[in-house]
Amino acid sequence: MLGRPDGPDGPDGQAEPDHDPAAPTPLDVPRTPTGNAEVDALLARLGDTDHLATDGHAEVYEDVHRGLRDALTALDARPGPPVPPPDRHPGTAPQRGPSGHTF
């Protein structure tokens, strides 16, 4: 039996794959590397949504958001540069200006 153009078979009589309009469609959103390997890996994870149904996106977004929040928190936790010691010589009293402030 030959396939009909409006039937499930293609013009060559072969079955065509079903087209599901609700199937995931890749967004192909470009992701520019940041130079931070941890952040780049998290951004690359967003590409997983290209292959998931919409109801699976939230899990990926939450995972990426958690990872980015942790990366930012880690930046705040890093110790800053040491505070320089006051510029005073041992044994000298601090000088006071006319307003009473020490310098």
Side-chain angles (χ1 to χ4, degrees):
M1 173 174 176
L2 291 175
R4 297 182 318 235
D6 60 345
D9 295 336
D12 59 0
Q14 299 293 320
E16 290 185 0
D18 291 333
H19 174 70
D20 181 3
T25 303
L27 296 175
D28 296 324
V29 175
R31 288 174 286 279
T32 305
T34 65
N36 180 306
E38 179 182 7
V39 171
D40 290 343
L42 289 164
L43 294 177
R45 171 119 166 77
L46 290 173
D48 292 349
T49 60
D50 286 349
H51 310 289
L52 296 172
T54 306
D55 61 352
H57 290 193
E59 182 180 340
V60 173
Y61 294 152
E62 288 171 1
D63 182 47
V64 171
H65 181 259
R66 186 174 29 258
L68 292 172
R69 187 180 57 229
D70 291 347
L72 286 172
T73 300
L75 291 174
D76 288 339
R78 291 183 187 161
V83 177
D87 191 23
R88 293 194 182 132
H89 298 288
T92 51
Q95 305 244 343
R96 294 196 184 273
S99 64
H101 290 89
T102 59
F103 58 94

